[in-house]
Amino acid sequence: MAAQKINEAHEHIAKAEKCLKTSLTKWKPDYDSAASEYAKAAVCFKNAKQYEQAKDAYLKEAEYHTENKTLFHAAKAIEQAGMMMKVSQKKMPEAIQYIEKACMMYMENGTPDTAAMALDRAGKLIEPINLEKAVDLYQKAAGVFENEDRLRQAVELLGKASRLLVRLKRLDEAAVALQKEKNMYKEIENFPMCFKKTTAQVLIHLHRGDFVAADKCVRESYSLPGYSGSEDCVAMETLLQGYDEQDEDQVYRVCNSPLLKYMDNDYAKLAISLRVPGGGGKKKKAAAAPQGGASGAPAAADEEEDDYEGGLC
């Protein structure tokens, strides 16, 4: 099967080369047909799992689409060339370079939405091996959507970048990104998500040791319709009070409440790892546990680490 597909690929390449030849009766190369044959060759190589040759064929397709001034199709071919590299982690940086080049061509061709979606795909590809680059790609994609007033798409990508910044412990940048997210959610009047972003902001600022900034986020959110008196608001007021008064038990109760435990995983981890200043890092044990026996031992706080999937924020 693979050998047959490889032979078919070479037949398409031969046809492409024939399309490029000129003669007394054919003065100009047929770039359109050549690009089409290289595209068919690339698919054959791909089906035969000959990804390097498939990449080369896609790049040839792009070259002839460029000659034919069909830049959108050239960009698609370059993006496909990049996708051929994703099978190898070592070649992933090369794959991302091709996809970023394709995105620039999409922008030049007046198709920014396609560029943003390609950047998002590239971010997903590189995220398992390079979080920093993934942040960059998600933020670029968000910027493209924002420029097109596609705020719902933009804010979703900003959210991906914010969570990765938290994972990278780049909390100052995460705080800025979250504020931008919150502003966008406010603009599209998704106030419940504004509440969740306020909670995430408070956790980040407290981990940064900036109680004033955390308190300011809550105070500013009072102007959001429905925030004052909401479950999110009460939880943050209680958390800030406990943190300010160095009340370990109060902070522990809030941070281990369902509201915070079932946020997105990166923010849930911030919650369960939050300690009050000077508190010595002690956790509140299970309430009123019976005394005198192994069964009455304090509840295992350590079991919580893996419970925070499918978050709300």
Short mmCIF file of all heavy atoms in Angstrom, two decimals, residues 59-119:
data_model
loop_
_atom_site.label_atom_id
_atom_site.label_comp_id
_atom_site.label_asym_id
_atom_site.label_seq_id
_atom_site.Cartn_x
_atom_site.Cartn_y
_atom_site.Cartn_z
N LEU A 59 5.43 22.33 0.02
CA LEU A 59 6.19 23.56 -0.21
C LEU A 59 6.30 23.88 -1.70
O LEU A 59 6.26 25.05 -2.10
CB LEU A 59 7.58 23.45 0.42
CG LEU A 59 7.60 23.42 1.95
CD1 LEU A 59 9.02 23.22 2.48
CD2 LEU A 59 7.00 24.70 2.54
N LYS A 60 6.41 22.84 -2.50
CA LYS A 60 6.40 23.04 -3.96
C LYS A 60 5.04 23.56 -4.42
O LYS A 60 4.95 24.44 -5.26
CB LYS A 60 6.74 21.73 -4.68
CG LYS A 60 8.22 21.42 -4.76
CD LYS A 60 8.92 22.40 -5.71
CE LYS A 60 10.37 22.04 -5.94
NZ LYS A 60 11.03 23.05 -6.81
N GLU A 61 3.99 22.97 -3.86
CA GLU A 61 2.64 23.46 -4.18
C GLU A 61 2.54 24.95 -3.84
O GLU A 61 2.03 25.75 -4.64
CB GLU A 61 1.60 22.67 -3.39
CG GLU A 61 0.18 23.15 -3.64
CD GLU A 61 -0.83 22.68 -2.61
OE1 GLU A 61 -0.46 21.88 -1.72
OE2 GLU A 61 -1.99 23.14 -2.68
N ALA A 62 3.03 25.32 -2.65
CA ALA A 62 2.98 26.72 -2.22
C ALA A 62 3.76 27.62 -3.18
O ALA A 62 3.31 28.73 -3.51
CB ALA A 62 3.54 26.85 -0.81
N GLU A 63 4.91 27.13 -3.61
CA GLU A 63 5.75 27.91 -4.53
C GLU A 63 4.99 28.25 -5.82
O GLU A 63 5.01 29.40 -6.28
CB GLU A 63 7.01 27.11 -4.86
CG GLU A 63 7.95 27.80 -5.84
CD GLU A 63 9.14 26.93 -6.21
OE1 GLU A 63 9.46 25.98 -5.44
OE2 GLU A 63 9.75 27.17 -7.28
N TYR A 64 4.29 27.27 -6.35
CA TYR A 64 3.60 27.50 -7.63
C TYR A 64 2.30 28.26 -7.45
O TYR A 64 1.89 29.00 -8.35
CB TYR A 64 3.44 26.18 -8.38
CG TYR A 64 4.80 25.60 -8.74
CD1 TYR A 64 5.15 24.32 -8.36
CD2 TYR A 64 5.74 26.38 -9.41
CE1 TYR A 64 6.42 23.81 -8.65
CE2 TYR A 64 7.00 25.89 -9.70
CZ TYR A 64 7.34 24.60 -9.31
OH TYR A 64 8.60 24.13 -9.59
N HIS A 65 1.66 28.12 -6.31
CA HIS A 65 0.51 28.99 -6.03
C HIS A 65 0.96 30.44 -5.91
O HIS A 65 0.26 31.35 -6.35
CB HIS A 65 -0.18 28.56 -4.72
CG HIS A 65 -1.15 27.43 -4.89
ND1 HIS A 65 -2.15 27.44 -5.85
CD2 HIS A 65 -1.30 26.26 -4.20
CE1 HIS A 65 -2.86 26.33 -5.75
NE2 HIS A 65 -2.37 25.60 -4.78
N THR A 66 2.14 30.65 -5.32
CA THR A 66 2.67 32.01 -5.20
C THR A 66 2.97 32.58 -6.58
O THR A 66 2.65 33.75 -6.87
CB THR A 66 3.96 32.01 -4.34
OG1 THR A 66 3.66 31.46 -3.05
CG2 THR A 66 4.48 33.42 -4.16
N GLU A 67 3.57 31.76 -7.44
CA GLU A 67 3.84 32.20 -8.82
C GLU A 67 2.53 32.55 -9.54
O GLU A 67 2.48 33.48 -10.35
CB GLU A 67 4.55 31.09 -9.60
CG GLU A 67 5.99 30.84 -9.15
CD GLU A 67 6.95 31.91 -9.64
OE1 GLU A 67 6.53 32.82 -10.40
OE2 GLU A 67 8.13 31.87 -9.25
N ASN A 68 1.48 31.82 -9.19
CA ASN A 68 0.17 32.03 -9.82
C ASN A 68 -0.64 33.12 -9.13
O ASN A 68 -1.77 33.39 -9.51
CB ASN A 68 -0.61 30.71 -9.81
CG ASN A 68 -1.67 30.65 -10.88
OD1 ASN A 68 -1.46 31.11 -12.00
ND2 ASN A 68 -2.84 30.09 -10.54
N LYS A 69 -0.02 33.72 -8.06
CA LYS A 69 -0.64 34.78 -7.28
C LYS A 69 -1.93 34.34 -6.58
O LYS A 69 -2.84 35.15 -6.36
CB LYS A 69 -0.89 36.02 -8.16
CG LYS A 69 0.40 36.60 -8.74
CD LYS A 69 0.18 37.93 -9.38
CE LYS A 69 1.43 38.61 -9.90
NZ LYS A 69 2.69 37.94 -9.78
N THR A 70 -2.01 33.08 -6.26
CA THR A 70 -3.13 32.58 -5.44
C THR A 70 -2.58 32.37 -4.02
O THR A 70 -2.28 31.25 -3.61
CB THR A 70 -3.71 31.28 -6.02
OG1 THR A 70 -2.63 30.37 -6.31
CG2 THR A 70 -4.47 31.55 -7.30
N LEU A 71 -2.43 33.50 -3.32
CA LEU A 71 -1.69 33.50 -2.05
C LEU A 71 -2.40 32.75 -0.93
O LEU A 71 -1.75 32.16 -0.06
CB LEU A 71 -1.40 34.93 -1.62
CG LEU A 71 -0.46 35.73 -2.54
CD1 LEU A 71 -0.20 37.11 -1.97
CD2 LEU A 71 0.85 34.98 -2.74
N PHE A 72 -3.74 32.76 -0.93
CA PHE A 72 -4.45 32.02 0.12
C PHE A 72 -4.11 30.53 0.03
O PHE A 72 -3.83 29.88 1.04
CB PHE A 72 -5.96 32.23 0.00
CG PHE A 72 -6.75 31.46 1.02
CD1 PHE A 72 -6.90 31.94 2.31
CD2 PHE A 72 -7.32 30.23 0.69
CE1 PHE A 72 -7.62 31.22 3.26
CE2 PHE A 72 -8.05 29.51 1.63
CZ PHE A 72 -8.20 30.00 2.92
N HIS A 73 -4.13 30.00 -1.18
CA HIS A 73 -3.83 28.58 -1.37
C HIS A 73 -2.36 28.29 -1.06
O HIS A 73 -2.02 27.21 -0.57
CB HIS A 73 -4.18 28.15 -2.79
CG HIS A 73 -5.66 28.22 -3.08
ND1 HIS A 73 -6.58 27.45 -2.42
CD2 HIS A 73 -6.36 29.00 -3.94
CE1 HIS A 73 -7.79 27.73 -2.87
NE2 HIS A 73 -7.69 28.66 -3.78
N ALA A 74 -1.49 29.26 -1.35
CA ALA A 74 -0.08 29.09 -1.00
C ALA A 74 0.08 29.00 0.52
O ALA A 74 0.83 28.15 1.03
CB ALA A 74 0.74 30.27 -1.54
N ALA A 75 -0.65 29.86 1.23
CA ALA A 75 -0.58 29.84 2.69
C ALA A 75 -1.09 28.51 3.24
O ALA A 75 -0.51 27.93 4.17
CB ALA A 75 -1.40 31.00 3.26
N LYS A 76 -2.19 28.01 2.68
CA LYS A 76 -2.73 26.72 3.14
C LYS A 76 -1.72 25.61 2.94
O LYS A 76 -1.57 24.72 3.80
CB LYS A 76 -4.02 26.38 2.37
CG LYS A 76 -5.21 27.23 2.72
CD LYS A 76 -5.69 27.03 4.14
CE LYS A 76 -6.40 25.73 4.39
NZ LYS A 76 -6.91 25.63 5.79
N ALA A 77 -1.01 25.64 1.80
CA ALA A 77 -0.02 24.61 1.51
C ALA A 77 1.15 24.69 2.50
O ALA A 77 1.66 23.66 2.98
CB ALA A 77 0.49 24.75 0.09
N ILE A 78 1.57 25.91 2.84
CA ILE A 78 2.67 26.08 3.81
C ILE A 78 2.23 25.60 5.19
O ILE A 78 3.00 24.95 5.91
CB ILE A 78 3.13 27.55 3.84
CG1 ILE A 78 3.87 27.89 2.54
CG2 ILE A 78 4.03 27.82 5.04
CD1 ILE A 78 4.21 29.35 2.38
N GLU A 79 0.97 25.90 5.55
CA GLU A 79 0.46 25.41 6.84
C GLU A 79 0.47 23.88 6.86
O GLU A 79 0.86 23.26 7.86
CB GLU A 79 -0.95 25.93 7.08
CG GLU A 79 -1.49 25.53 8.45
CD GLU A 79 -2.93 25.96 8.69
OE1 GLU A 79 -3.49 26.71 7.86
OE2 GLU A 79 -3.49 25.52 9.71
N GLN A 80 0.05 23.27 5.75
CA GLN A 80 0.06 21.80 5.67
C GLN A 80 1.48 21.25 5.76
O GLN A 80 1.71 20.19 6.37
CB GLN A 80 -0.61 21.34 4.37
CG GLN A 80 -2.12 21.44 4.38
CD GLN A 80 -2.73 20.60 5.50
OE1 GLN A 80 -2.41 19.42 5.66
NE2 GLN A 80 -3.61 21.20 6.27
N ALA A 81 2.43 21.96 5.18
CA ALA A 81 3.84 21.54 5.29
C ALA A 81 4.25 21.51 6.76
O ALA A 81 4.94 20.57 7.21
CB ALA A 81 4.73 22.49 4.50
N GLY A 82 3.83 22.51 7.50
CA GLY A 82 4.12 22.54 8.93
C GLY A 82 3.48 21.38 9.67
O GLY A 82 4.11 20.76 10.54
N MET A 83 2.25 21.07 9.31
CA MET A 83 1.55 19.98 9.98
C MET A 83 2.23 18.63 9.74
O MET A 83 2.09 17.71 10.55
CB MET A 83 0.09 19.91 9.50
CG MET A 83 -0.73 21.15 9.85
SD MET A 83 -0.81 21.52 11.61
CE MET A 83 -2.02 20.31 12.14
N MET A 84 2.97 18.50 8.65
CA MET A 84 3.69 17.25 8.39
C MET A 84 4.83 17.03 9.39
O MET A 84 5.29 15.91 9.58
CB MET A 84 4.26 17.25 6.96
CG MET A 84 3.21 17.22 5.84
SD MET A 84 2.05 15.84 5.96
CE MET A 84 0.65 16.62 6.75
N MET A 85 5.27 18.13 10.02
CA MET A 85 6.38 18.03 10.95
C MET A 85 5.95 17.68 12.37
O MET A 85 6.77 17.39 13.23
CB MET A 85 7.14 19.37 11.00
CG MET A 85 7.75 19.80 9.66
SD MET A 85 9.14 18.75 9.18
CE MET A 85 8.32 17.55 8.10
N LYS A 86 4.63 17.69 12.62
CA LYS A 86 4.17 17.51 14.00
C LYS A 86 4.37 16.08 14.51
O LYS A 86 4.25 15.84 15.71
CB LYS A 86 2.70 17.88 14.11
CG LYS A 86 1.74 16.90 13.45
CD LYS A 86 0.30 17.31 13.66
CE LYS A 86 -0.65 16.29 13.06
NZ LYS A 86 -2.06 16.65 13.27
N VAL A 87 4.68 15.15 13.61
CA VAL A 87 4.86 13.75 14.05
C VAL A 87 6.13 13.59 14.86
O VAL A 87 6.31 12.59 15.56
CB VAL A 87 4.89 12.78 12.83
CG1 VAL A 87 3.54 12.77 12.16
CG2 VAL A 87 5.98 13.16 11.85
N SER A 88 7.04 14.56 14.77
CA SER A 88 8.31 14.47 15.50
C SER A 88 8.46 15.68 16.42
O SER A 88 8.40 16.82 15.97
CB SER A 88 9.49 14.43 14.52
OG SER A 88 10.71 14.62 15.19
N GLN A 89 8.64 15.43 17.72
CA GLN A 89 8.83 16.54 18.66
C GLN A 89 10.05 17.37 18.30
O GLN A 89 10.06 18.59 18.47
CB GLN A 89 8.96 16.01 20.08
CG GLN A 89 7.65 15.64 20.72
CD GLN A 89 7.73 15.53 22.23
OE1 GLN A 89 8.79 15.71 22.82
NE2 GLN A 89 6.60 15.25 22.87
N LYS A 90 11.10 16.71 17.80
CA LYS A 90 12.32 17.43 17.44
C LYS A 90 12.07 18.44 16.32
O LYS A 90 12.74 19.47 16.22
CB LYS A 90 13.41 16.45 17.01
CG LYS A 90 13.98 15.61 18.15
CD LYS A 90 15.07 14.68 17.66
CE LYS A 90 15.64 13.83 18.81
NZ LYS A 90 16.66 12.88 18.33
N LYS A 91 11.09 18.13 15.46
CA LYS A 91 10.81 19.01 14.32
C LYS A 91 9.66 19.98 14.60
O LYS A 91 9.26 20.73 13.72
CB LYS A 91 10.49 18.16 13.09
CG LYS A 91 11.70 17.37 12.59
CD LYS A 91 11.39 16.60 11.33
CE LYS A 91 12.64 15.86 10.83
NZ LYS A 91 12.39 15.08 9.60
N MET A 92 9.15 19.95 15.83
CA MET A 92 8.03 20.82 16.16
C MET A 92 8.35 22.31 15.98
O MET A 92 7.52 23.05 15.45
CB MET A 92 7.56 20.55 17.59
CG MET A 92 6.20 21.15 17.89
SD MET A 92 4.88 20.42 16.91
CE MET A 92 4.67 18.87 17.78
N PRO A 93 9.55 22.80 16.38
CA PRO A 93 9.85 24.21 16.13
C PRO A 93 9.78 24.57 14.64
O PRO A 93 9.30 25.65 14.28
CB PRO A 93 11.28 24.37 16.67
CG PRO A 93 11.39 23.31 17.73
CD PRO A 93 10.61 22.15 17.19
N GLU A 94 10.24 23.65 13.78
CA GLU A 94 10.16 23.88 12.33
C GLU A 94 8.70 23.94 11.89
O GLU A 94 8.31 24.78 11.07
CB GLU A 94 10.89 22.76 11.58
CG GLU A 94 10.91 22.94 10.07
CD GLU A 94 11.58 21.78 9.34
OE1 GLU A 94 12.04 20.82 9.99
OE2 GLU A 94 11.63 21.84 8.10
N ALA A 95 7.89 23.05 12.45
CA ALA A 95 6.46 23.04 12.12
C ALA A 95 5.82 24.38 12.47
O ALA A 95 5.06 24.95 11.67
CB ALA A 95 5.77 21.91 12.89
N ILE A 96 6.14 24.90 13.64
CA ILE A 96 5.55 26.17 14.08
C ILE A 96 6.00 27.32 13.20
O ILE A 96 5.22 28.23 12.89
CB ILE A 96 5.91 26.44 15.56
CG1 ILE A 96 5.38 25.31 16.46
CG2 ILE A 96 5.34 27.78 16.01
CD1 ILE A 96 3.90 25.03 16.35
N GLN A 97 7.25 27.28 12.76
CA GLN A 97 7.76 28.33 11.86
C GLN A 97 6.95 28.38 10.56
O GLN A 97 6.58 29.45 10.08
CB GLN A 97 9.24 28.09 11.54
CG GLN A 97 10.17 28.46 12.69
CD GLN A 97 11.62 28.12 12.38
OE1 GLN A 97 11.96 27.70 11.27
NE2 GLN A 97 12.48 28.28 13.36
N TYR A 98 6.66 27.21 10.00
CA TYR A 98 5.87 27.16 8.77
C TYR A 98 4.46 27.69 9.01
O TYR A 98 3.92 28.45 8.20
CB TYR A 98 5.79 25.72 8.23
CG TYR A 98 7.04 25.26 7.52
CD1 TYR A 98 7.69 24.08 7.88
CD2 TYR A 98 7.58 26.00 6.46
CE1 TYR A 98 8.83 23.65 7.23
CE2 TYR A 98 8.73 25.58 5.80
CZ TYR A 98 9.35 24.40 6.18
OH TYR A 98 10.48 23.98 5.53
N ILE A 99 3.86 27.30 10.14
CA ILE A 99 2.49 27.73 10.41
C ILE A 99 2.45 29.25 10.65
O ILE A 99 1.53 29.94 10.16
CB ILE A 99 1.91 26.96 11.62
CG1 ILE A 99 1.81 25.47 11.27
CG2 ILE A 99 0.53 27.50 11.98
CD1 ILE A 99 1.44 24.57 12.43
N GLU A 100 3.45 29.78 11.33
CA GLU A 100 3.49 31.23 11.55
C GLU A 100 3.68 31.98 10.22
O GLU A 100 3.08 33.04 10.00
CB GLU A 100 4.62 31.59 12.52
CG GLU A 100 4.31 31.23 13.96
CD GLU A 100 5.34 31.79 14.92
OE1 GLU A 100 6.48 31.29 14.94
OE2 GLU A 100 5.01 32.72 15.67
N LYS A 101 4.49 31.42 9.34
CA LYS A 101 4.65 32.03 8.02
C LYS A 101 3.33 32.02 7.26
O LYS A 101 2.96 33.02 6.62
CB LYS A 101 5.72 31.27 7.22
CG LYS A 101 5.99 31.86 5.84
CD LYS A 101 7.08 31.10 5.10
CE LYS A 101 7.32 31.70 3.70
NZ LYS A 101 8.37 30.96 2.96
N ALA A 102 2.62 30.91 7.34
CA ALA A 102 1.31 30.81 6.69
C ALA A 102 0.36 31.86 7.25
O ALA A 102 -0.40 32.49 6.50
CB ALA A 102 0.73 29.41 6.87
N CYS A 103 0.41 32.08 8.55
CA CYS A 103 -0.47 33.05 9.19
C CYS A 103 -0.21 34.47 8.69
O CYS A 103 -1.14 35.25 8.48
CB CYS A 103 -0.31 33.00 10.71
SG CYS A 103 -0.96 31.48 11.41
N MET A 104 1.06 34.80 8.51
CA MET A 104 1.40 36.11 7.96
C MET A 104 0.82 36.27 6.56
O MET A 104 0.29 37.33 6.20
CB MET A 104 2.93 36.29 7.93
CG MET A 104 3.55 36.45 9.30
SD MET A 104 5.36 36.56 9.23
CE MET A 104 5.56 38.09 8.31
N MET A 105 0.88 35.19 5.78
CA MET A 105 0.33 35.23 4.42
C MET A 105 -1.20 35.35 4.45
O MET A 105 -1.79 36.06 3.63
CB MET A 105 0.77 34.00 3.64
CG MET A 105 2.27 33.96 3.38
SD MET A 105 2.83 32.42 2.60
CE MET A 105 2.15 32.62 0.93
N TYR A 106 -1.84 34.67 5.40
CA TYR A 106 -3.30 34.82 5.54
C TYR A 106 -3.66 36.26 5.82
O TYR A 106 -4.62 36.81 5.26
CB TYR A 106 -3.83 33.94 6.67
CG TYR A 106 -3.83 32.45 6.42
CD1 TYR A 106 -3.40 31.56 7.41
CD2 TYR A 106 -4.28 31.92 5.21
CE1 TYR A 106 -3.42 30.19 7.20
CE2 TYR A 106 -4.30 30.54 5.00
CZ TYR A 106 -3.86 29.68 6.00
OH TYR A 106 -3.88 28.33 5.79
N MET A 107 -2.88 36.89 6.72
CA MET A 107 -3.15 38.28 7.07
C MET A 107 -2.98 39.19 5.84
O MET A 107 -3.82 40.06 5.58
CB MET A 107 -2.20 38.73 8.19
CG MET A 107 -2.42 38.03 9.52
SD MET A 107 -3.97 38.47 10.32
CE MET A 107 -3.62 40.16 10.80
N GLU A 108 -1.91 38.96 5.11
CA GLU A 108 -1.65 39.76 3.91
C GLU A 108 -2.74 39.55 2.86
O GLU A 108 -3.04 40.44 2.07
CB GLU A 108 -0.28 39.40 3.32
CG GLU A 108 0.89 39.86 4.18
CD GLU A 108 2.22 39.26 3.74
OE1 GLU A 108 2.24 38.58 2.69
OE2 GLU A 108 3.22 39.45 4.45
N ASN A 109 -3.33 38.37 2.88
CA ASN A 109 -4.36 38.04 1.89
C ASN A 109 -5.75 38.51 2.34
O ASN A 109 -6.73 38.32 1.63
CB ASN A 109 -4.39 36.52 1.66
CG ASN A 109 -5.24 36.13 0.48
OD1 ASN A 109 -5.00 36.54 -0.64
ND2 ASN A 109 -6.28 35.33 0.74
N GLY A 110 -5.82 39.11 3.54
CA GLY A 110 -7.09 39.62 4.01
C GLY A 110 -8.00 38.57 4.63
O GLY A 110 -9.22 38.73 4.62
N THR A 111 -7.39 37.49 5.18
CA THR A 111 -8.20 36.45 5.85
C THR A 111 -7.68 36.26 7.28
O THR A 111 -7.11 35.21 7.62
CB THR A 111 -8.15 35.12 5.07
OG1 THR A 111 -6.78 34.79 4.80
CG2 THR A 111 -8.90 35.21 3.77
N PRO A 112 -7.87 37.29 8.13
CA PRO A 112 -7.32 37.23 9.49
C PRO A 112 -7.92 36.11 10.35
O PRO A 112 -7.23 35.56 11.21
CB PRO A 112 -7.64 38.60 10.07
CG PRO A 112 -8.76 39.12 9.23
CD PRO A 112 -8.55 38.57 7.87
N ASP A 113 -9.20 35.79 10.15
CA ASP A 113 -9.81 34.73 10.95
C ASP A 113 -9.09 33.40 10.74
O ASP A 113 -8.86 32.65 11.69
CB ASP A 113 -11.29 34.56 10.58
CG ASP A 113 -12.16 35.67 11.17
OD1 ASP A 113 -11.58 36.61 11.74
OD2 ASP A 113 -13.39 35.58 11.06
N THR A 114 -8.74 33.13 9.48
CA THR A 114 -8.00 31.89 9.17
C THR A 114 -6.64 31.92 9.85
O THR A 114 -6.16 30.90 10.36
CB THR A 114 -7.83 31.73 7.66
OG1 THR A 114 -9.11 31.88 7.02
CG2 THR A 114 -7.28 30.36 7.30
N ALA A 115 -6.02 33.10 9.87
CA ALA A 115 -4.71 33.24 10.54
C ALA A 115 -4.83 32.95 12.03
O ALA A 115 -4.01 32.22 12.60
CB ALA A 115 -4.17 34.65 10.31
N ALA A 116 -5.85 33.50 12.66
CA ALA A 116 -6.02 33.31 14.10
C ALA A 116 -6.27 31.85 14.44
O ALA A 116 -5.72 31.31 15.41
CB ALA A 116 -7.18 34.17 14.60
N MET A 117 -7.09 31.19 13.63
CA MET A 117 -7.38 29.77 13.88
C MET A 117 -6.13 28.91 13.70
O MET A 117 -5.91 27.95 14.45
CB MET A 117 -8.51 29.29 12.98
CG MET A 117 -9.88 29.86 13.39
SD MET A 117 -11.27 29.19 12.43
CE MET A 117 -11.07 30.05 10.87
N ALA A 118 -5.30 29.28 12.73
CA ALA A 118 -4.04 28.54 12.53
C ALA A 118 -3.09 28.75 13.70
O ALA A 118 -2.41 27.82 14.13
CB ALA A 118 -3.39 28.97 11.21
N LEU A 119 -3.03 29.98 14.22
CA LEU A 119 -2.19 30.25 15.39
C LEU A 119 -2.67 29.46 16.61
O LEU A 119 -1.86 28.95 17.39
CB LEU A 119 -2.20 31.75 15.70
CG LEU A 119 -1.41 32.65 14.74
CD1 LEU A 119 -1.76 34.11 14.96
CD2 LEU A 119 0.09 32.43 14.89
#
